[in-house]
């Protein structure tokens, strides 16, 4: 279960390649495809040359079509195949290339809403190891009318899935992927375009292992997500032609999985990335307590996300593999393999409303297994958001009726930060019950609150002061 559970074809690999442990089908070794090809040697030589020259933006010749893999019928471009060697600095660019936006219009000042650059940059994972992360930088055509130089928002996508074809940077180029094998919708494009229309530059992270083909996406891993988001902000400043400067204010934006990532990044920024000029963070429906969130997801339309969580946890901490092997039955293991290449649409259509008890050897739900296993409890405790104080203003929004990413645990994050003296704006989105376990109680608050969230964030990027709402928190739902 520590391997990459993805169905793909490897066109070029070697016994010395970082891809030597990849599998085609569950547990099927790829020894038969270990061809030591010239392109691999050429890439290594190009990487060494870049080290010597101090130039880490890799030319197109350093990766070829031989690096492409296929996930559920979608060819992942060779760009997303990380090199064997990575730069030392977090946020250092590894390579870039133009990214065509599918939704773009001609304009007098350039294409609307802007131009995009595909990115690969270096970050550090939760085990302290270097990792290549992909994403995109978008330079707006609109002028910034607020105070100071053009600001930057580092956007953390909501749940996209675990297959590489689900990456948010690919969704900018293909907002809808529907080929009979996978279904992915670039719903974050709406927030991205709204920010661009306000003259805000945007950098989007794909997260660790989503898009990049060398590992599995570590879904909802607090450290991996926070590091990837903060390092995306660093990488954006090195993009050729970017109008942002070292004085540009930076904002973080995310909802759902993205809300957890932006929240984790906000509280880690003072220690991990003090050089990032963070002015404010929007964290919508943040999964701050995964133990509670997993209970809400179980049996819901998004039940497949439990599989993404388990796959990511085992990859991040291989010592948990024996627990998974003992407690997950054959059906569950087949599900873990299957969901590892799925996007949100696939998971909803295939595993929506499934209860995790069907996947365990004991017939108990995953929540009961976690409650009985100290090692699982300890691991999930390390994923808890709220133990550190953010150094800049934060805005938490949560649907009061949200039964997927539970309202109570999101509100608790606001309480935890207020108790530490953070500057917290808390927004409970109180709507009627729109259907239990259907995702509606989770998604509609995103739509209802998005305009206010972006306005709040652009005010912080303009340097406008904000008054903490912690004093009123006890009186609010």
């Amino acid at each position: 279960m520590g391997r990459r559970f993805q169905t793909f074809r490897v066109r070029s690999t070697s016994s010395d390649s970082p891809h030597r442990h990849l599998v085609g089908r569950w547990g099927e070794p790829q020894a038969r495809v270990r061809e030591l090809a010239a392109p691999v040697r050429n890439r290594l030589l190009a990487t060494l040359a870049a080290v010597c020259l101090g130039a880490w933006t890799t030319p197109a010749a350093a990766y070829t079509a031989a690096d492409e893999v296929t996930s559920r019928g979608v060819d992942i471009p060779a760009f997303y195949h990380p090199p064997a060697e990575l730069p030392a600095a977090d946020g250092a660019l590894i390579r870039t290339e133009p990214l065509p936006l599918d939704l773009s219009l001609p304009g007098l000042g350039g294409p609307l809403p802007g131009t995009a650059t595909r990115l690969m940059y270096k970050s550090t994972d939760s085990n302290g190891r270097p990792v290549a992360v992909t994403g995109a930088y978008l330079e707006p055509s609109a002028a910034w009318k607020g105070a100071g130089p053009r600001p930057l928002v580092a956007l953390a996508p909501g749940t996209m899935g675990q297959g590489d074809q689900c990456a948010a940077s690919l969704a900018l180029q293909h907002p809808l992927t529907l080929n009979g094998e996978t279904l992915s919708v670039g719903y974050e494009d709406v927030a991205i375009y709204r920010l661009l229309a306000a003259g805000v530059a945007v950098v989007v992270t794909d997260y660790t292992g989503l898009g990049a083909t060398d590992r599995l996406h570590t879904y909802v891993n607090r450290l991996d997500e926070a590091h990837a988001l903060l390092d995306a902000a660093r990488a954006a400043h090195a993009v050729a032609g970017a109008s942002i400067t070292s004085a540009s204010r930076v904002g973080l934006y995310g909802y759902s999985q993205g809300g957890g990532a932006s929240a984790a990044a906000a509280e880690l920024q003072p220690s991990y990335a003090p050089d990032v000029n963070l002015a404010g963070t929007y964290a919508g429906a943040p999964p701050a307590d995964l133990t509670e969130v997993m209970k809400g997801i179980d049996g819901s339309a998004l039940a497949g996300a439990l599989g993404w969580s388990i796959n990511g946890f085992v990859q991040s901490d291989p010592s948990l593999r024996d627990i998974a092997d003992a407690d997950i039955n054959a059906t569950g293991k087949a599900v873990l393999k299957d969901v590892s290449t799925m996007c949100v649409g696939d998971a909803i259509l295939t595993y929506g409303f499934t209860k995790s008890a069907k996947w365990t050897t004991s017939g108990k739900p995953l929540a009961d297994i976690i409650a009985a296993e100290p090692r699982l409890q300890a691991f999930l405790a390390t994923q808890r958001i709220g133990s550190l104080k953010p150094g800049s203003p934060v805005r938490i929004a949560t649907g009061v009726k949200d039964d997927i990413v539970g309202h109570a645990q999101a509100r608790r994050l606001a309480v935890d930060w207020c108790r530490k003296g953070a500057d917290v704006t808390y927004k409970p989105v109180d709507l009627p019950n729109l259907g239990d376990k259907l995702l509606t109680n989770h998604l509609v608050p995103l739509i209802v609150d998005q305009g206010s969230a972006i306005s709040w964030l652009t005010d912080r990027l303009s340097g406008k002061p904000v008054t903490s709402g912690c004093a009123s928190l006890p009186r609010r739902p």
Side-chain angles (χ1 to χ4, degrees), residues 94-249:
I94 299 170
R95 61 174 67 125
T96 65
E97 69 177 19
L99 172 61
L101 295 175
D102 188 67
L103 303 176
S104 182
L105 296 172
L108 294 177
L112 299 172
T115 57
T117 302
R118 204 185 315 268
L119 310 178
M120 180 181 284
Y121 59 93
K122 187 262 183 180
S123 188
T124 297
D125 70 13
S126 57
N127 293 307
R129 294 191 293 256
V131 60
V133 181
T134 57
Y137 171 78
L138 297 101
E139 175 74 16
S141 301
W144 166 245
K145 297 180 180 179
R150 187 190 300 279
L152 171 72
V153 164
L155 187 140
T159 297
M160 303 297 290
Q162 203 159 44
D164 288 327
Q165 78 278 12
C166 319
S169 63
L170 288 172
L172 285 164
Q173 186 175 357
H174 306 290
L176 175 63
T177 299
L178 177 60
N179 64 359
E181 296 184 50
T182 191
L183 171 59
S184 182
V185 179
Y187 60 88
E188 290 291 6
D189 294 2
V190 176
I192 293 168
Y193 279 41
R194 293 180 78 163
L195 289 163
L196 294 174
V200 177
V202 178
V203 66
V204 182
T205 181
D206 289 334
Y207 299 127
T208 298
L210 189 59
T213 59
D214 63 334
R215 65 185 66 203
L216 196 67
H217 171 42
T218 47
Y219 182 67
V220 296
N221 182 300
R222 175 180 71 96
L223 293 176
D224 280 8
E225 292 179 337
H227 292 175
L229 187 61
L230 292 167
D231 288 328
R234 287 166 159 163
H237 287 81
V239 174
S243 60
I244 55 175
T245 72
S246 59
S248 293
R249 296 185 180 95

Side-chain angles (χ1 to χ4, degrees), residues 8-71:
F8 53 74
R9 60 181 181 273
V10 180
R11 297 196 181 108
S12 176
T13 185
S14 76
S15 58
D16 297 320
S17 165
H19 306 273
R20 63 187 180 276
H21 297 304
L22 298 182
V23 295
R25 305 297 295 181
W26 177 272
E28 181 183 343
Q30 288 292 325
R32 66 185 184 279
V33 292
R34 292 178 183 172
E35 299 101 354
L36 182 57
V40 176
R41 294 193 297 270
N42 291 342
R43 288 197 304 276
L44 292 176
L45 290 173
T47 301
L48 291 173
V51 175
C52 296
L53 295 173
W56 271 102
T57 301
T58 308
Y63 56 93
T64 70
D67 294 322
E68 286 186 1
V69 301
T70 299
S71 180

